[in-house]
Amino acid sequence: MVNMKNTHVFSFKWMGLFILASSFFFCGMSQAKNKPIRVSNKMVAAADSVPNLQNGLAKTPPMGWNSWNAFHTHIDEQQIKAVADAMVKDGMKAAGYKYLIIDDAWLGMHRNNKGRLIANPKRFPHGIKALADYVHGKGLKFGIYESAGTKTCAGYPGSLHHEKVDAETFAKWGVDYLKLDNCYNQGVSYIKRYSDMSRDLQATGRPIVFSICEWGVKDPYQWAPKISNLWRTTGDIQDNWQSVMTILDQQVGLYKYAGPGHWNDPDMLEVGNGGMTTTEYKAHFSLWSILAAPLIAGTDLRHMSDQTKEILENKDVIAVDQDPAGIEGHKALDNGNQEVWVKPMQDGSEAVLLLNRGPKRAFMTITAEQAGLKKATYYKMKNLWSHKYKRTDDLIRGYVPSHGVVMYRVWPESN
Ligand code: GLA
């Protein structure tokens, strides 16, 4: 869904087009909120005929940057190159963000006379291969956006019925990551549309992360793990707290579908875009990490504040997201406005996140046992935002600010 506040960047013209194109999307979302749509055995069988995606990629949730949340359709070559420079200079690359992904509006309005996609000649005069080369030259990976429909959401040529030639074009350009959207899908079976692209990407022989952006409409976790590395579980994130909480609620119970090579995707990060407080952005980032979500930053890295940098580059929180066991966290306790989310880690420790959705600061506690930790003489705890250690016999507790989190990593210890 579009950010209503951002009408200056996402004009009403686009909005009209988008609504028209995505009637499926909107009716799907209202259904998604109420009751999951059941996927029939026949549909799953259709996906079974496609070879398993075995590209060896995304062993941990992909990390990177995508142009959409910062720039929407206003992208161009110079600006994207400057973002690539910034990713290296400002420590994002060193913190683990490796994919630079250009979203909608990179395309020319028409295919060329060989039926191939071309870059928008005004915005990307040197073409996509040159841009990919530049990004690779920075030691980063390059990603691109398309739609499994006749057009992208912003109205550029889509990949539906052109999967083979487009997959080949992407491979030739040096694309390392494809995000495939759902606009203008003409009601063609989603499993067919996404399976076709999965098969054709694999046939190129180039390892390309495959990111399905189907907005969670048709329970993608039931069919997408086999054919993709990640799949969106929700409509579009917006830069506000309500949106983050709505998305969080849609993740409950999905942890069993995620693991190395295949991840639930609650959409990209809004950290740094100005619509939330620093406390709320810390909570957003912590929650995405406990969910083992792809960490795809979406702010203008050319002008990142120190606060935004501190959040996006918090190594302790990133380590939770990137834990090699690849276990998505789940909700262990729910007291209305107060929730506790836990994520088992490979070394036997656990990430424990106390979330306060309420309007006032709250004192929260959970026992080690309730958090799923094994019995121990005592527990060593690291606060992942203050980076300080302490010990506890049993209770994990803290004052949690309104719309905020306290996040610990807890190790069972015995003398
Ligand atoms: C959809 C997607 C967004 C973004 C836009 C681009 O809304 O869900 O993430 O890619 O299209 O138009």
Side-chain angles (χ1 to χ4, degrees), residues 18 68 103-104 145 153-154 179 181 213 215 232 236 268:
F18 183 70
W68 185 253
D103 208 280
D104 210 345
Y145 161 99
C153 296
K179 169 179 171 183
D181 210 341
C213 177
W215 312 314
R232 278 270 293 275
D236 290 9
M268 304 172 291

Side-chain angles (χ1 to χ4, degrees), residues 211-242:
S211 158
I212 291 182
C213 177
E214 175 269 0
W215 312 314
V217 177
K218 302 272 189 185
D219 291 359
Y221 37 85
Q222 292 200 16
W223 48 272
K226 218 179 144 296
I227 58 169
S228 69
N229 298 111
L230 59 152
W231 52 90
R232 278 270 293 275
T233 55
T234 70
D236 290 9
I237 193 169
Q238 297 172 37
D239 187 15
N240 62 64
W241 178 248
Q242 186 49 49

